[in-house]
């Protein structure tokens, strides 16, 4: 369970820290197909493989497409092999730290053909820099269009996750104290010294929570909100692992804080054998939604093959594996979630949002202001 949650944090972290400064260590990994075609039909001339197994455009058969992504990208090898067998395209994975930064720096000589993992907190910058070539997938109407980045389809939404305050139900029950519900509840004196959060400067989870407070309190009000959190004893740590596994009372670490910033998908991992209810839960009114995208890189050597990868990521096979492989929700609402997700991982009905362009314009100044308030 810990591994799954750590992967979840790392996966979402990779999306939010894409533009962090740094040289970005590159590690190329070639994904080798081990399966053989299963007799699926092909349609020469088609530019998509809607199910990852039905079409093979002649122009891309036998080519290799380079997928640039973060180091937490994970897919069932069988799903990848089936796509490669059906499309005739070999997928080569290239993992990059500070992905958005690297894509921008190399836009005139792109690292690959298609990029996955850039999210709504950094996407505007890359799109504005001309990193991506618009592509309209025929599978957009299967849920992806609901999270469209722009009208021109510069990027295609693949998955999403909600960063929210998690609560230790057992702790509050034993104390006889009602659980908080909203952002503003966290400022009340009865919840003093109960919340641990991650620094938005060093943690993607912390950055998402900061953006949630901006969306809640407004661009001119979030500073006052954080002053209130500080006065109410909020504890700030450097990363998600420290917050969740050291300070949070509802995890195996059994810390002394019953409120932690984590994910809406975290509670299923705390359900032990024999339990009928999750011992932790999510404050759904405190959630900020992260959306991850895939996009064809402008100047790609194999743009048609890159488009096939985009379609593959919207296919039922790829979408179905997202909760278990990368611990995020699929955009395709027809996808059946794992049983424990369906029971214990509630999607926020009205998550806080902040316009990506507003984030891009203000992110650095917000982080500086936050540091001055909390660390100055």
């Amino acid at each position: 369970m810990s591994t799954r949650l750590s992967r979840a944090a790392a996966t979402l972290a990779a999306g939010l820290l894409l533009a962090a400064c740094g040289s970005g260590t590159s590690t190329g990994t070639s994904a080798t197909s081990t399966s053989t075609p299963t007799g699926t039909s092909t349609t020469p001339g088609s530019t998509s493989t809607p199910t990852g197994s039905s079409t093979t455009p002649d122009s891309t058969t036998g080519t290799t497409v380079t997928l640039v992504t973060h180091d937490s990208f994970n897919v069932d090898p069988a799903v990848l092999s089936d796509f490669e067998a059906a499309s005739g395209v070999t997928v080569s994975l290239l993992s990059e730290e500070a992905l958005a930064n690297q894509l921008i720096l190399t836009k005139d000589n792109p690292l690959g053909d298609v990029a996955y993992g850039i999210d709504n907190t950094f996407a505007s910058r890359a799109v504005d820099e001309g990193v991506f070539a618009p592509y309209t997938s025929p599978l957009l109407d299967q849920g992806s269009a609901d999270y469209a980045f722009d009208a021109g389809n510069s990027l295609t939404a693949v998955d999403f996750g909600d960063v929210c305050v998690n609560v230790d139900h057992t702790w509050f029950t034993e104390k006889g104290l009602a659980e908080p519900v909203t952002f503003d509840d966290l400022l009340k004196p009865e919840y003093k010294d109960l919340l641990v959060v991650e620094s938005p400067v060093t943690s993607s989870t912390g950055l998402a929570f900061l953006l949630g407070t901006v969306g809640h309190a407004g661009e001119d009000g979030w500073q006052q909100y954080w002053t209130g959190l500080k006065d109410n004893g909020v504890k700030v740590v450097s990363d998600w692992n420290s917050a969740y596994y050291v300070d949070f009372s509802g995890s195996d670490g059994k810390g002394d804080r019953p409120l932690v910033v984590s994910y809406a998908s975290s509670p299923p991992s705390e359900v032990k054998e024999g339990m009928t209810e999750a011992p932790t839960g999510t404050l759904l009114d405190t959630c900020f939604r992260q959306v991850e995208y895939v996009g064809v890189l402008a100047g790609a050597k194999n743009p048609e093959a890159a488009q096939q990868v985009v379609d593959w990521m919207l296919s039922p096979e790829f979408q179905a594996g997202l909760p278990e492989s990368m611990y995020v929700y699929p955009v395709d609402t027809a996808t059946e979630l794992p049983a424990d997700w369906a029971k214990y991982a509630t999607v926020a009905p009205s998550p806080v949002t902040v316009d990506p362009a507003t984030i891009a314009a203000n992110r650095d100044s917000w982080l500086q202001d936050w540091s001055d308030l909390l660390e100055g």
Side-chain angles (χ1 to χ4, degrees):
M1 294 180 187
S2 297
T3 301
R4 287 206 310 170
L5 266 181
S6 296
R7 180 187 300 165
T11 298
L12 293 169
L16 268 169
L17 289 179
L18 299 178
C21 295
S23 58
T25 302
S26 173
T27 56
T29 302
S30 178
T32 303
S33 173
T34 56
S35 65
T36 56
T38 56
T40 52
S41 62
T42 60
T43 307
S46 170
T47 59
S48 66
T49 56
T51 65
S53 62
S54 63
T55 62
T56 303
D58 291 340
S59 61
T60 59
T61 300
T63 62
T64 295
V65 62
T66 300
L67 170 59
V68 189
T69 185
H70 49 60
D71 60 7
S72 293
F73 178 80
N74 187 36
V75 62
D76 184 338
V79 173
L80 176 59
S81 293
D82 286 349
F83 166 70
E84 291 181 315
S87 65
V89 172
T90 298
V91 179
S92 178
L93 301 180
L94 179 61
S95 176
E96 283 288 331
E97 296 179 2
L99 179 59
N101 229 25
Q102 291 303 311
L103 293 176
I104 292 169
L105 290 172
T106 60
K107 64 179 183 180
D108 295 327
N109 185 23
L111 296 168
D113 302 291
V114 58
Y116 163 80
I118 196 165
D119 79 0
N120 53 322
T121 67
F122 283 95
S124 286
R125 181 183 170 202
V127 170
D128 291 345
E129 291 283 349
V131 168
F132 296 101
Y135 169 62
T136 301
S137 170
L139 303 183
L140 284 182
D141 61 357
Q142 295 181 14
S144 180
D146 293 341
Y147 303 92
F149 178 79
D150 57 24
N153 295 315
S154 301
L155 291 165
T156 300
V158 174
D159 57 71
F160 68 92
D162 289 335
V163 173
C164 323
V165 174
N166 278 211
V167 57
D168 178 359
H169 293 318
T170 303
W171 189 95
F172 279 92
T173 298
E174 291 177 350
K175 298 294 182 181
L177 180 63
E179 297 177 359
V181 177
T182 67
F183 277 109
D184 290 338
D185 285 347
L186 300 174
L187 303 177
K188 295 179 178 177
E190 56 264 42
Y191 304 118
K192 186 176 180 62
D193 297 333
L194 300 187
L195 174 65
V196 58
V197 305
E198 302 83 0
S199 166
V201 177
T202 58
S203 165
S204 64
T205 319
L207 176 56
F209 183 65
L210 171 61
L211 295 175
T213 64
V214 171
H216 164 68
E219 293 184 48
D220 297 325
W222 69 267
Q223 299 91 341
Q224 182 178 356
Y225 180 80
W226 274 93
T227 299
L229 283 181
K230 182 178 181 180
D231 292 343
N232 211 33
V234 66
K235 182 176 182 179
V236 180
V237 297
S238 62
D239 58 82
W240 178 86
N241 276 295
S242 298
Y244 196 87
Y245 287 120
V246 176
D247 290 293
F248 182 44
S249 62
S251 72
D252 292 340
K254 302 300 180 187
D256 61 0
R257 301 232 167 192
L259 299 170
V260 64
V261 172
S262 189
Y263 298 90
S265 53
S266 299
S269 292
E270 299 304 332
V271 179
K272 306 297 192 295
E273 186 174 357
M275 289 183 175
T276 57
E277 299 291 338
T280 65
T282 304
L283 306 188
L284 295 176
D285 287 346
T286 66
C287 298
F288 176 83
R289 179 155 296 170
Q290 297 170 301
V291 180
E292 280 192 305
Y293 303 98
V294 62
V296 177
L297 292 173
K301 294 179 181 177
N302 299 301
E304 290 187 359
Q307 293 171 4
Q308 288 183 275
V309 172
V310 173
D311 295 343
W312 170 56
M313 288 189 173
L314 298 185
S315 71
E317 294 83 0
F318 189 92
Q319 290 282 300
L322 284 167
E324 293 291 352
S325 63
M326 290 194 273
Y327 229 70
V328 288
Y329 292 94
V331 292
D332 186 346
T333 56
T335 305
E336 184 176 355
L337 295 175
D340 57 343
W341 279 55
K343 188 172 183 179
Y344 303 118
T346 304
V347 175
S350 301
V352 175
T353 59
V354 180
D355 180 69
T358 301
I359 295 173
N362 297 282
R363 182 177 50 246
D364 291 346
S365 62
W366 289 343
L367 288 174
Q368 184 60 57
D369 290 346
W370 182 92
S371 294
D372 292 343
L373 281 171
L374 274 293
E375 300 173 335

